[in-house]
CSV table of all heavy atoms in Angstrom, one decimal:
chain,number,residue,atom,x,y,z
A,339,ALA,N,14.3,-52.7,68.5
A,339,ALA,CA,14.5,-52.1,69.7
A,339,ALA,C,13.2,-51.9,70.4
A,339,ALA,O,13.1,-51.4,71.6
A,339,ALA,CB,15.2,-50.8,69.7
A,340,VAL,N,12.0,-52.2,69.8
A,340,VAL,CA,10.6,-52.1,70.4
A,340,VAL,C,9.9,-53.3,70.0
A,340,VAL,O,10.2,-54.1,69.1
A,340,VAL,CB,10.0,-50.8,69.7
A,340,VAL,CG1,10.8,-49.5,70.2
A,340,VAL,CG2,9.9,-50.9,68.3
A,341,PRO,N,8.8,-53.6,70.6
A,341,PRO,CA,8.0,-54.8,70.5
A,341,PRO,C,7.2,-54.7,69.2
A,341,PRO,O,6.9,-53.7,68.6
A,341,PRO,CB,7.0,-54.9,71.7
A,341,PRO,CG,7.6,-53.9,72.7
A,341,PRO,CD,8.3,-52.8,71.9
A,342,SER,N,6.7,-56.0,68.8
A,342,SER,CA,5.6,-56.2,67.9
A,342,SER,C,6.0,-55.6,66.4
A,342,SER,O,5.1,-54.9,65.9
A,342,SER,CB,4.3,-55.5,68.4
A,342,SER,OG,3.9,-56.1,69.6
A,343,CYS,N,7.2,-55.8,66.0
A,343,CYS,CA,7.6,-55.4,64.7
A,343,CYS,C,7.9,-56.6,63.8
A,343,CYS,O,8.3,-57.7,64.3
A,343,CYS,CB,8.8,-54.4,64.8
A,343,CYS,SG,8.3,-52.8,65.4
A,344,GLU,N,7.9,-56.4,62.5
A,344,GLU,CA,8.2,-57.4,61.6
A,344,GLU,C,9.3,-57.0,60.6
A,344,GLU,O,9.4,-55.9,60.1
A,344,GLU,CB,7.0,-57.8,60.8
A,344,GLU,CG,7.1,-58.8,59.6
A,344,GLU,CD,5.8,-59.0,58.8
A,344,GLU,OE1,4.9,-59.6,59.5
A,344,GLU,OE2,5.8,-58.7,57.7
A,345,SER,N,10.3,-57.9,60.3
A,345,SER,CA,11.3,-57.6,59.3
A,345,SER,C,11.5,-58.8,58.4
A,345,SER,O,11.4,-60.0,58.8
A,345,SER,CB,12.6,-57.2,60.1
A,345,SER,OG,13.1,-58.3,60.8
A,346,ARG,N,11.7,-58.4,57.2
A,346,ARG,CA,12.0,-59.5,56.1
A,346,ARG,C,13.2,-59.0,55.3
A,346,ARG,O,13.2,-57.8,54.8
A,346,ARG,CB,10.8,-59.7,55.2
A,346,ARG,CG,9.6,-60.3,56.0
A,346,ARG,CD,9.8,-61.7,56.3
A,346,ARG,NE,8.6,-62.3,56.8
A,346,ARG,CZ,8.3,-62.3,58.1
A,346,ARG,NH1,9.0,-61.7,59.2
A,346,ARG,NH2,7.2,-62.8,58.6
A,347,GLU,N,14.1,-59.9,55.0
A,347,GLU,CA,15.3,-59.5,54.1
A,347,GLU,C,15.5,-60.7,53.2
A,347,GLU,O,15.6,-61.9,53.7
A,347,GLU,CB,16.6,-59.3,54.9
A,347,GLU,CG,16.5,-58.1,55.9
A,347,GLU,CD,15.9,-58.5,57.2
A,347,GLU,OE1,16.3,-59.6,57.8
A,347,GLU,OE2,15.1,-57.7,57.7
A,348,LEU,N,15.6,-60.3,51.9
A,348,LEU,CA,15.9,-61.5,50.9
A,348,LEU,C,16.8,-60.9,49.9
A,348,LEU,O,16.6,-59.9,49.2
A,348,LEU,CB,14.5,-61.8,50.2
A,348,LEU,CG,14.8,-62.7,49.0
A,348,LEU,CD1,15.3,-64.1,49.4
A,348,LEU,CD2,13.5,-63.0,48.2
A,349,PHE,N,18.0,-61.5,49.7
A,349,PHE,CA,19.0,-61.0,48.8
A,349,PHE,C,19.5,-62.2,48.0
A,349,PHE,O,19.8,-63.3,48.4
A,349,PHE,CB,20.3,-60.4,49.6
A,349,PHE,CG,20.0,-59.0,49.9
A,349,PHE,CD1,19.3,-58.7,51.2
A,349,PHE,CD2,20.6,-57.9,49.2
A,349,PHE,CE1,19.0,-57.4,51.5
A,349,PHE,CE2,20.4,-56.6,49.6
A,349,PHE,CZ,19.5,-56.4,50.8
A,350,LYS,N,19.7,-61.9,46.6
A,350,LYS,CA,20.0,-62.9,45.7
A,350,LYS,C,21.1,-62.4,44.9
A,350,LYS,O,21.2,-61.3,44.4
A,350,LYS,CB,18.8,-63.2,44.8
A,350,LYS,CG,17.8,-64.1,45.5
A,350,LYS,CD,16.6,-64.2,44.6
A,350,LYS,CE,15.5,-65.2,45.3
A,350,LYS,NZ,15.8,-66.7,45.1
A,351,GLY,N,22.2,-63.3,44.7
A,351,GLY,CA,23.4,-62.9,43.9
A,351,GLY,C,23.6,-63.9,42.8
A,351,GLY,O,23.4,-65.1,42.9
A,352,VAL,N,24.0,-63.3,41.6
A,352,VAL,CA,24.5,-64.1,40.5
A,352,VAL,C,25.9,-63.9,40.2
A,352,VAL,O,26.2,-62.6,39.9
A,352,VAL,CB,23.5,-63.8,39.3
A,352,VAL,CG1,24.0,-64.6,38.0
A,352,VAL,CG2,22.1,-64.0,39.5
A,353,LEU,N,26.8,-64.9,40.3
A,353,LEU,CA,28.2,-64.6,40.2
A,353,LEU,C,28.9,-65.5,39.1
A,353,LEU,O,28.6,-66.7,39.1
A,353,LEU,CB,28.8,-65.0,41.6
A,353,LEU,CG,28.2,-64.3,42.7
A,353,LEU,CD1,28.6,-64.9,44.0
A,353,LEU,CD2,28.5,-62.8,42.7
A,354,ASP,N,29.6,-64.8,38.3
A,354,ASP,CA,30.2,-65.5,37.1
A,354,ASP,C,31.6,-65.4,37.2
A,354,ASP,O,32.2,-64.4,37.9
A,354,ASP,CB,29.6,-65.1,35.9
A,354,ASP,CG,29.7,-66.0,34.6
A,354,ASP,OD1,30.4,-67.0,34.9
A,354,ASP,OD2,29.3,-65.7,33.5
A,355,ASP,N,32.4,-66.1,36.4
A,355,ASP,CA,33.9,-66.0,36.2
A,355,ASP,C,34.6,-66.1,37.6
A,355,ASP,O,34.3,-67.0,38.3
A,355,ASP,CB,34.3,-64.7,35.6
A,355,ASP,CG,33.6,-64.5,34.2
A,355,ASP,OD1,33.5,-65.5,33.5
A,355,ASP,OD2,33.2,-63.5,33.8
A,356,GLN,N,35.4,-65.1,38.0
A,356,GLN,CA,36.1,-65.2,39.3
A,356,GLN,C,35.5,-64.2,40.2
A,356,GLN,O,36.2,-63.7,41.2
A,356,GLN,CB,37.6,-65.0,39.1
A,356,GLN,CG,38.3,-66.1,38.3
A,356,GLN,CD,39.7,-65.7,38.1
A,356,GLN,OE1,40.1,-64.8,37.2
A,356,GLN,NE2,40.6,-66.6,38.7
Side-chain angles (χ1 to χ4, degrees):
V340 294
S342 303
C343 289
E344 176 183 294
S345 65
R346 296 288 186 270
E347 298 86 44
L348 173 64
F349 279 79
K350 290 175 173 274
V352 180
L353 306 166
D354 202 355
D355 304 323
Q356 294 176 291

